[in-house]
Amino acid sequence: MYDQYQGLIFDMDGTLLDTEPTHRKAWRQALAPYGMQFDEAAVVSLNGSPTWHIAKMIIEHHQSPIDPHQLAREKTAALHNILFDDVTALPLIDVVKRYHGKRPMAVGTGSEHAMAEALLRHLGLLHYFDAIVGADDVSRHKPDPQTFLRCAELIGVPPEACVVFEDADFGIMAAQAAKMAFVDVRALSA
């Protein structure tokens, strides 16, 4: 099905793994002590962004003096406490299994590198991927193409010979900016 591509690159949250409900739960836990809430649609629109960027948006909405990096750390800590119990692989993992050993594959995620690696290891999926690029591995995040360009570099495939699997507008914009083909996985499940 994707034989025409030399390299496959996957977003993680909401694309490979069903982590979105757990992320929302962790946000609620992190925000509760501050009496803050988040607009779910606004947070979904930022899918693929690093946690501190989402924290910044929530803080600005509430006009709070909290440091976004501190709030991001608190959300990540809450996530660590609940994530490994709730997360499952999504059906797209079948594509990963089908191309394992046939095409180099990478994960390009807005999650931190260590979190992505730990989740994939926990689910027995880490060995399928030749590279992981997390939010802390790049200086510019989706919709900037740096995440996906770094993935292509690490798997040794020219960007124009890669396909990106994404579930977020920022990720699709990043794939387009990288001159990569993309699959909007939201259309696959519709």
Side-chain angles (χ1 to χ4, degrees), residues 27-180:
W27 274 119
R28 284 191 288 278
Q29 287 181 13
L31 294 170
Y34 300 104
M36 294 192 297
Q37 297 177 349
F38 63 93
D39 175 346
E40 193 164 320
V43 170
V44 167
S45 74
L46 294 172
N47 277 356
S49 298
T51 304
W52 69 266
H53 187 261
I54 297 169
K56 183 174 182 266
M57 184 273 304
I58 294 169
I59 289 166
E60 287 173 357
H61 174 77
H62 287 279
Q63 299 177 350
S64 174
I66 304 166
D67 174 45
H69 294 281
Q70 176 60 35
L71 183 58
R73 284 190 294 274
E74 292 171 13
K75 185 266 184 176
T76 299
L79 189 64
H80 275 283
N81 292 332
I82 58 177
L83 189 57
F84 294 96
D85 297 333
D86 296 341
V87 72
T88 58
L90 290 167
L92 191 65
I93 203 67
D94 291 339
V95 172
V96 172
K97 291 176 179 177
R98 185 175 313 129
Y99 283 93
H100 179 62
K102 298 177 183 148
R103 298 283 190 279
M105 294 186 285
V107 172
T109 179
S111 290
E112 293 177 1
H113 186 112
M115 174 66 78
E117 194 171 300
L119 272 173
L120 293 167
R121 182 178 294 112
H122 174 71
L123 293 172
L125 304 173
L126 184 61
H127 70 281
Y128 288 113
F129 300 100
D130 302 290
I132 296 173
V133 176
D136 49 336
D137 295 321
V138 295
S139 58
R140 296 181 311 277
H141 304 97
K142 302 172 189 176
D144 188 276
Q146 188 179 25
T147 297
F148 295 142
L149 291 172
R150 180 72 178 135
C151 285
E153 179 185 342
L154 290 172
I155 62 174
V157 176
E160 61 277 5
C162 291
V163 61
V164 172
F165 296 84
E166 257 291 353
D167 74 319
D169 293 341
F170 279 171
I172 289 169
M173 291 164 61
Q176 290 171 318
K179 307 284 190 263
M180 296 178 179

